[in-house]
Amino acid sequence: MSKRSTKAALSPWEVVALESFQTPEQTQISQWRRSWRVVTAWMVGKESSERQAKQESELRALPEVKLAHWAPAIDWLPTANALNNVMKEYRDAPVVLFISPPHGGHASVVSLWAQQQGVNCLPMPTFAELTDGSLEWVERCGHQRYWAIPSLERHFLRHTQGLQGVRELLERALSGRLGQGVIGCDSWTYAYLQHAVGLEGVPVLTLQGLEGKQLAHYFADLARDGKCPPVYSTRTGKLILANGSDESASGKNDDVHKELQRLAAHCRGHLGIAWHYWRERLREPAERCNTDEQPQEELWLLDALAEAELPADTGDVATLLLHALLIHGGLEDQALGHVLPFSHHEALSARLALARQGILDCHQGRWQVSPLSYASVRQLLESRHYLVDSL
């Protein structure tokens, strides 16, 4: 892998052309480990498939007030700023796409960019307009000098009528009849629309994949007071992240941050997915020693691979459902029967089963692949030769 510039070495906000995107080192090794873990768990049981240095029973989940302090929500404003800087190279392009994988922040980034630039966001179609194949919502867009769409995945459904509107929208956008626009798009939606509609010649930007050092630098600075407690791995017992005031917290100690390189590879370098792991797998000791001295705060990170794993014998109905959810950036229950080749009852039963397993979660009324299950779902779909995203 080519070396990044010194200036961008620790920044998590490098916006690049899609063809320049790089997954972290050890990504292929991480996929092999994930496959081996599934086999091992099936053979000897999940608890004994990998020896732990620290047992989960000795730890407890952090209360929300601590999570809000040590792992607040990602501020995507620096990405919006980086996007604006890169946009200067595409002044003559009628449309520029900014894509990210699920939970990757593209909608927030484009919305923030639009706010900064005083640009209007085009209206989304209603569910009825999508199912009827109506073009009224496209007509409402009109011509503007500049415009934005934060979430292109909300503008189509995968069936004949559901594609008519987005096909007309993109045709008008690419011809320049709408003005100049920036479109935020899920990477799976982009892969599908590129195949079904055609997006040749459109500049596509994305956030560069992060290495372990960059994750270390980001997580060390994430705490609201800039002082994250030391964090240890339950898998190895070793230090993952030193105190924010320590030199190693800035990402300079390779030995300390090997576990974060493992996490970066597992997440394919995507900050949004890695943040969910960090926030949802952080733990603190369940009991404190009763001493007069103030105990030193410490945190533990549960094993990055201890997630909701898809069984190897996942059936066709569940697999098709997962793929449909990904290419649409999530779906409401009422939409399932419109995009899948089986009955609504079968689709709903599959969705309920996957939700019980923790593979799916619900966000703003739409079912989506949960962040901690995304890596295993993507690997399953790729292994079965489904259309997958390029990130």
Side-chain angles (χ1 to χ4, degrees):
M1 186 184 74
S2 61
K3 294 184 178 179
R4 311 260 177 90
S5 66
T6 303
K7 182 178 180 180
L10 293 179
S11 171
W13 315 118
E14 184 185 4
V15 172
V16 298
L18 177 59
E19 56 268 24
S20 298
F21 174 81
Q22 298 171 339
T23 54
E25 295 178 359
Q26 303 180 17
T27 297
Q28 293 300 319
I29 295 175
S30 177
Q31 291 181 345
W32 177 85
R33 284 174 176 164
R34 193 179 308 122
S35 299
W36 175 248
R37 181 184 176 87
V38 172
V39 174
T40 307
W42 177 76
M43 293 174 62
V44 301
K46 189 170 184 177
E47 292 299 324
S48 59
S49 62
E50 187 167 335
R51 191 179 301 275
Q52 298 287 301
K54 185 80 169 180
Q55 297 300 316
E56 292 189 25
S57 59
E58 303 173 43
L59 304 169
R60 64 184 176 192
L62 273 67
E64 184 59 35
V65 64
K66 288 188 177 181
L67 283 175
H69 180 78
W70 286 324
I74 297 174
D75 179 6
W76 293 107
L77 184 58
T79 311
N81 294 334
L83 173 63
N84 190 54
N85 290 334
V86 176
M87 282 284 295
K88 297 172 184 177
E89 302 176 21
Y90 303 97
R91 290 190 180 94
D92 298 330
V95 177
V96 173
L97 266 68
F98 178 80
I99 70 171
S100 74
H103 315 287
H106 60 271
S108 296
V109 170
V110 173
S111 294
L112 287 167
W113 175 86
Q115 292 174 16
Q116 285 180 324
Q117 306 302 316
V119 172
N120 291 328
C121 292
L122 301 186
M124 287 193 298
T126 65
F127 179 74
E129 287 174 324
L130 288 178
T131 54
D132 293 342
S134 171
L135 299 181
E136 290 183 10
W137 65 271
V138 181
E139 298 296 337
R140 292 197 299 268
C141 294
H143 180 276
Q144 304 178 51
R145 184 177 180 185
Y146 299 108
W147 52 271
I149 294 177
S151 307
L152 187 61
E153 60 271 19
R154 302 291 187 264
H155 293 69
F156 87 105
L157 288 175
R158 187 184 56 182
H159 64 86
T160 303
Q161 292 178 317
L163 282 170
Q164 289 179 2
V166 74
R167 183 177 282 114
E168 179 66 21
L169 173 72
L170 291 173
E171 181 181 328
R172 296 186 185 191
L174 295 177
S175 68
R177 283 185 285 162
L178 295 182
Q180 288 187 300
V182 175
I183 298 178
C185 185
D186 187 283
S187 56
W188 289 75
T189 301
Y190 170 72
Y192 172 73
L193 291 179
Q194 188 181 34
H195 174 76
V197 177
L199 292 168
E200 292 80 6
V202 180
V204 183
L205 305 174
T206 191
L207 195 62
Q208 182 60 280
L210 305 184
E211 300 286 351
K213 285 184 178 181
Q214 292 167 296
L215 284 182
H217 185 265
Y218 176 77
F219 290 140
D221 291 341
L222 188 57
R224 294 196 183 280
D225 60 2
K227 297 180 180 179
C228 181
V231 182
Y232 299 88
S233 167
T234 61
R235 189 179 70 90
T236 65
K238 295 181 179 180
L239 188 68
I240 293 177
L241 199 66
N243 183 278
S245 61
D246 192 284
E247 180 185 24
S248 60
S250 63
K252 298 180 180 178
N253 191 321
D254 290 338
D255 292 333
V256 169
H257 300 307
K258 284 181 179 178
E259 195 74 6
L260 284 180
Q261 184 63 38
R262 188 171 183 260
L263 176 59
H266 182 74
C267 299
R268 297 180 62 84
H270 300 312
L271 178 60
I273 299 289
W275 176 84
H276 277 282
Y277 271 111
W278 190 252
R279 196 175 200 274
E280 295 180 32
R281 311 302 280 180
L282 276 180
R283 297 293 186 269
E284 64 181 357
E287 296 182 1
R288 299 283 186 184
C289 297
N290 294 322
T291 63
D292 294 334
E293 296 182 7
Q294 183 70 22
Q296 180 185 9
E297 194 73 56
E298 66 178 41
L299 300 177
W300 292 78
L301 187 72
L302 301 186
D303 181 13
L305 298 186
E307 65 199 70
E309 291 278 5
L310 275 169
D313 60 350
T314 299
D316 291 339
V317 173
T319 306
L320 283 166
L321 172 60
L322 290 167
H323 192 247
L325 292 177
L326 284 171
I327 67 174
H328 289 91
L331 287 168
E332 300 173 352
D333 279 340
Q334 63 176 334
L336 297 180
H338 293 272
V339 300
L340 293 168
F342 35 83
S343 70
H344 181 73
H345 173 74
E346 290 177 296
L348 190 58
S349 296
R351 198 275 294 160
L352 288 168
L354 289 168
R356 283 195 298 269
Q357 296 172 48
I359 305 298
L360 304 181
D361 60 26
C362 190
H363 179 67
Q364 297 179 347
R366 297 170 68 94
W367 290 97
Q368 59 185 6
V369 175
S370 65
L372 272 61
S373 297
Y374 175 69
S376 61
V377 170
R378 188 187 189 282
Q379 187 169 350
L380 174 74
L381 292 172
E382 188 173 30
S383 70
R384 296 189 179 182
H385 307 292
Y386 279 74
L387 176 69
V388 299
D389 75 331
S390 54
L391 299 180

